[in-house]
Amino acid sequence: MQDLYPTRRKEEKIVDRVDDVVYSKSSKKYSLKEDEVMFFEENGYIIFPEFFTEKEVGTLNWALEELKSDSSMKDREEYITEPDSNELRTIFSQHRFSSVFEQLISDRRILDKVEQILGSKAYIHQSRINIKPAYKGKSFPWHSDFETWHAEDGLPRCRTVSAWIMLTDNTQFNGPLYLVPGSHKKFVACAGETPKDNYKESLKNQKYGVPSLEAMKVLSKDNGITAALGKAGTLVFHDGNMMHGSPDNISPDPRTNAFFVYNSIENKPVKPFAAKGQRASFLCLKDFKAL
Amino acid sequence: MQDLYPTRRKEEKIVDRVDDVVYSKSSKKYSLKEDEVMFFEENGYIIFPEFFTEKEVGTLNWALEELKSDSSMKDREEYITEPDSNELRTIFSQHRFSSVFEQLISDRRILDKVEQILGSKAYIHQSRINIKPAYKGKSFPWHSDFETWHAEDGLPRCRTVSAWIMLTDNTQFNGPLYLVPGSHKKFVACAGETPKDNYKESLKNQKYGVPSLEAMKVLSKDNGITAALGKAGTLVFHDGNMMHGSPDNISPDPRTNAFFVYNSIENKPVKPFAAKGQRASFLCLKDFKAL
């Protein structure tokens, strides 16, 4: 299969995105309105403030607490700690361990918009809850998820969308997600050959697939950087190729978000495009059944 | 001399500030207006957006470049690098190495306000330029400068004010200073005995004199956290006992600020209140002549 997004070569390159951003142009049968589709297409993200009720958020947080207090989870490879402490940083595949999150991935309020963006049925490529503890939560460097999914998981096209829910308020101060509006239209082919089992390090401290300072200057030149802020219950969609990162959390408030990566069923993974082996199966789920 | 702010004991304690915030109540002969004095007294800081002209900021940045390119500076103890790279983090005593910064400390536009706040003539207790390089600049944990100046330098009373100038824009994204409005009215007596030569570590990675998460929750409960943002040339004053910190800088833009700590000539240092030795002389200057 042709590699439309060559990456992890000797030199960094910024190239144009080959794929569409929104695959279904008609908004008639879907819930995203025309201006919302236009905003997403242009900027690569869209925020729905307090989309879920306080009660719903309460249930999601309760489900997370259940996962955290389940001692058998701590030994699983889906359970990732901070680089310099034993504090929980990420739980992967929450929808496989919790019925609450399992139901959530098929919630029509989300799935309808996902199908509209992807122009097809979808399945979950990856899910995770990112926890940034107060005081201790470390930063995530800039990256496009799709760059890794293409290089290390073999997703051929950029036809994925991340839907995520704020489980706590995301403020200016507690390490929120920073996005580069419009960056989804460019693909940063990153420099450096992927090391073996890269993911074991990269989940704690990503080094490959991170653009240079110069590339970030180019990407952010026109539209700058924005922060995805909102109260708990806020729903955000961002394109799989969105350049994003987040600073550390020195504030006294934790920041927790639940991510669900939807991939088009027409974009199933093939052999990784720029890595020798496969990543751990929880990073690239293989249940391709349409939701 | 009585220790009005005992700290570095076994247990952390939050106590009331003993000293005044603004020592000169009349605003008649000074340039801070009555509402500005009230704001500073209540919040512990005040921001003057773009106080210095573009040309003046250009001169200050030129003077900083002169210091950076002076290879003899690199061997001085005033030259502090990032904890995990050789990137410059802080230059101390810039007013002693550069005539531009030397003139600046006596600039009447600053000094007049300093004298109004301190109710006396003042001298420079410490000066520094904090550089937070794009991508690499690390965070500073929460601290009150006065807690260290009292414990390790022996400043008896809280009668100091920091005046600082933004040499680059300080945005939400490039690791700006976070302040806890009103925190200057409380003194957090921090836990833990000061180790010998603590400053050698603390300038890169402060561990003593940092309040607990619980203390930060108490301090920020009423007024939350605010960020000191502004264009280059913005002038900020904050009380010596202001609780502040700053996140890392993952943005593609550097963030550089020049700080000048003014102490009242009536508040000269005595023996450190909670440390065995003296800190390096550049951290606690001894030129007590009134400016």
Side-chain angles (χ1 to χ4, degrees):
Chain A
M1 183 179 286
Q2 197 197 342
D3 183 354
L4 294 170
Y5 300 98
T7 185
R8 312 277 172 108
R9 306 283 172 96
K10 270 199 184 148
E11 278 173 26
E12 180 177 75
K13 265 187 201 164
I14 303 181
V15 298
D16 286 332
R17 177 196 183 107
V18 179
D19 296 304
D20 285 343
V21 176
V22 178
Y23 283 74
S24 164
K25 295 298 171 195
S26 157
S27 52
K28 278 189 191 133
K29 56 182 264 213
Y30 296 112
S31 59
L32 282 179
K33 296 179 203 113
E34 210 168 310
D35 58 329
E36 292 172 336
V37 169
M38 275 173 65
F39 185 91
F40 184 85
E41 201 145 35
E42 193 55 30
N43 295 285
Y45 73 96
I46 189 164
I47 298 175
F48 295 97
E50 291 164 82
F51 189 87
F52 290 94
T53 65
E54 232 172 273
K55 199 180 156 194
E56 286 172 314
V57 174
T59 305
L60 296 175
N61 272 310
W62 170 84
L64 170 58
E65 285 310 313
E66 290 278 292
L67 288 175
K68 280 164 89 169
S69 62
D70 178 350
S71 60
S72 71
M73 282 301 295
K74 290 191 175 57
D75 297 327
R76 296 198 66 96
E77 55 179 359
E78 286 93 345
Y79 193 99
I80 315 289
T81 55
E82 286 287 333
D84 53 7
S85 76
N86 283 323
E87 202 97 11
L88 178 63
R89 179 181 171 96
T90 304
I91 291 179
F92 278 91
S93 295
Q94 66 272 17
H95 68 287
R96 294 190 52 229
F97 300 113
S98 155
S99 58
V100 169
F101 288 113
E102 190 189 7
Q103 279 171 37
L104 189 64
I105 60 170
S106 301
D107 189 311
R108 284 309 304 173
R109 292 173 292 176
I110 297 177
L111 201 50
D112 172 85
K113 296 174 181 61
V114 166
E115 291 169 359
Q116 183 173 4
I117 291 166
L118 301 182
S120 72
K121 293 281 183 189
Y123 72 95
I124 296 288
H125 171 66
Q126 185 189 97
S127 79
R128 62 185 184 276
I129 301 177
N130 282 342
I131 294 164
K132 215 178 243 187
Y135 256 49
K136 289 179 192 166
K138 293 287 174 234
S139 56
F140 277 83
W142 296 101
H143 63 284
S144 146
D145 292 328
F146 173 69
E147 194 274 344
T148 291
W149 298 332
H150 182 72
E152 300 188 34
D153 294 338
L155 294 199
R157 317 290 300 227
C158 191
R159 199 171 173 182
T160 55
V161 62
S162 289
W164 55 279
I165 299 154
M166 300 182 187
L167 300 187
T168 63
D169 294 354
N170 279 224
T171 75
Q172 177 184 348
F173 302 107
N174 65 357
L177 223 71
Y178 292 169
L179 307 165
V180 183
S183 61
H184 64 304
K185 294 186 201 165
K186 297 288 177 189
F187 179 78
V188 182
C190 294
E193 204 182 325
T194 317
K196 188 168 180 284
D197 287 344
N198 177 43
Y199 73 92
K200 288 181 185 170
E201 171 72 13
S202 74
L203 296 180
K204 293 194 180 211
N205 190 4
Q206 183 168 353
K207 286 178 183 161
Y208 294 84
V210 174
S212 68
L213 173 56
E214 290 65 37
M216 266 300 296
K217 281 186 180 162
V218 172
L219 285 185
S220 62
K221 190 165 174 265
D222 290 338
N223 305 310
I225 297 172
T226 194
L229 306 182
K231 294 269 181 202
T234 294
L235 173 67
V236 184
F237 291 88
H238 74 248
D239 180 87
N241 188 42
M242 189 76 187
M243 193 59 74
H244 62 288
S246 66
D248 51 2
N249 179 9
I250 68 163
S251 89
D253 303 310
R255 190 228 65 175
T256 304
N257 297 323
F259 284 78
F260 300 92
V261 180
Y262 291 89
N263 189 28
S264 164
I265 54 165
E266 295 168 18
N267 191 39
K268 287 168 198 158
V270 295
K271 222 175 122 229
F273 288 92
K276 282 185 184 117
Q278 301 268 344
R279 298 205 295 170
S281 58
F282 69 91
L283 294 171
C284 176
L285 300 174
K286 299 287 191 325
D287 181 357
F288 302 128
K289 200 156 38 62
L291 290 168
Chain B
M1 182 180 286
Q2 196 196 346
D3 183 356
L4 293 169
Y5 299 99
T7 185
R8 313 277 172 108
R9 304 285 170 95
K10 270 196 182 148
E11 278 172 26
E12 180 178 75
K13 265 186 201 164
I14 304 181
V15 297
D16 286 334
R17 175 196 185 106
V18 179
D19 295 305
D20 284 343
V21 176
V22 179
Y23 282 75
S24 162
K25 294 301 170 193
S26 157
S27 54
K28 278 187 192 135
K29 56 184 262 212
Y30 295 112
S31 60
L32 283 178
K33 295 179 202 116
E34 210 169 313
D35 58 328
E36 293 172 336
V37 170
M38 276 174 65
F39 185 91
F40 184 85
E41 200 144 36
E42 193 54 29
N43 296 285
Y45 73 96
I46 189 163
I47 299 176
F48 295 97
E50 291 163 82
F51 188 87
F52 291 94
T53 64
E54 233 172 89
K55 197 179 157 197
E56 286 172 314
V57 173
T59 305
L60 296 175
N61 273 310
W62 169 86
L64 170 58
E65 286 310 313
E66 289 278 291
L67 288 176
K68 281 163 89 170
S69 63
D70 178 349
S71 60
S72 71
M73 281 303 294
K74 288 190 176 58
D75 298 325
R76 296 198 65 95
E77 53 181 1
E78 286 90 346
Y79 193 97
I80 315 289
T81 56
E82 286 288 333
D84 52 8
S85 76
N86 283 325
E87 202 95 15
L88 180 62
R89 178 181 172 94
T90 304
I91 291 180
F92 279 91
S93 296
Q94 67 273 15
H95 69 287
R96 295 189 52 227
F97 299 114
S98 155
S99 59
V100 170
F101 289 113
E102 190 189 6
Q103 279 171 36
L104 190 64
I105 61 170
S106 301
D107 189 311
R108 284 311 303 174
R109 293 172 292 176
I110 298 177
L111 201 51
D112 171 84
K113 295 174 181 61
V114 166
E115 290 171 358
Q116 182 173 8
I117 291 168
L118 300 182
S120 72
K121 292 282 182 187
Y123 73 95
I124 295 288
H125 171 65
Q126 187 188 95
S127 78
R128 62 187 184 275
I129 300 176
N130 283 340
I131 293 163
K132 217 179 239 185
Y135 255 52
K136 288 181 190 161
K138 294 288 175 234
S139 56
F140 277 82
W142 297 100
H143 63 284
S144 146
D145 291 328
F146 173 69
E147 194 275 343
T148 292
W149 298 332
H150 181 71
E152 301 188 32
D153 293 338
L155 294 199
R157 316 289 300 226
C158 190
R159 198 170 173 181
T160 56
V161 63
S162 289
W164 55 278
I165 298 154
M166 301 182 185
L167 299 187
T168 63
D169 294 354
N170 281 223
T171 74
Q172 177 184 349
F173 301 108
N174 65 358
L177 221 72
Y178 292 169
L179 306 166
V180 183
S183 62
H184 64 304
K185 293 186 203 165
K186 298 286 176 189
F187 179 76
V188 182
C190 293
E193 205 182 322
T194 317
K196 189 169 178 283
D197 285 346
N198 177 45
Y199 73 91
K200 289 183 183 168
E201 170 72 13
S202 73
L203 295 181
K204 292 194 179 210
N205 189 5
Q206 184 169 354
K207 285 179 183 159
Y208 293 83
V210 173
S212 69
L213 175 53
E214 290 65 39
M216 266 301 294
K217 280 186 180 161
V218 172
L219 286 185
S220 63
K221 192 166 173 265
D222 290 338
N223 306 312
I225 297 171
T226 195
L229 306 181
K231 294 271 180 200
T234 294
L235 172 68
V236 184
F237 291 89
H238 74 250
D239 181 88
N241 187 42
M242 189 75 186
M243 192 60 75
H244 62 288
S246 67
D248 50 5
N249 179 9
I250 69 164
S251 88
D253 303 308
R255 188 227 68 173
T256 303
N257 297 322
F259 286 77
F260 300 92
V261 180
Y262 292 90
N263 189 28
S264 165
I265 53 163
E266 297 169 18
N267 191 40
K268 286 168 198 158
V270 295
K271 224 176 120 226
F273 288 93
K276 280 181 190 124
Q278 300 266 345
R279 299 205 295 170
S281 58
F282 69 92
L283 294 170
C284 176
L285 300 175
K286 300 284 191 323
D287 181 357
F288 302 129
K289 200 159 35 63
L291 290 167

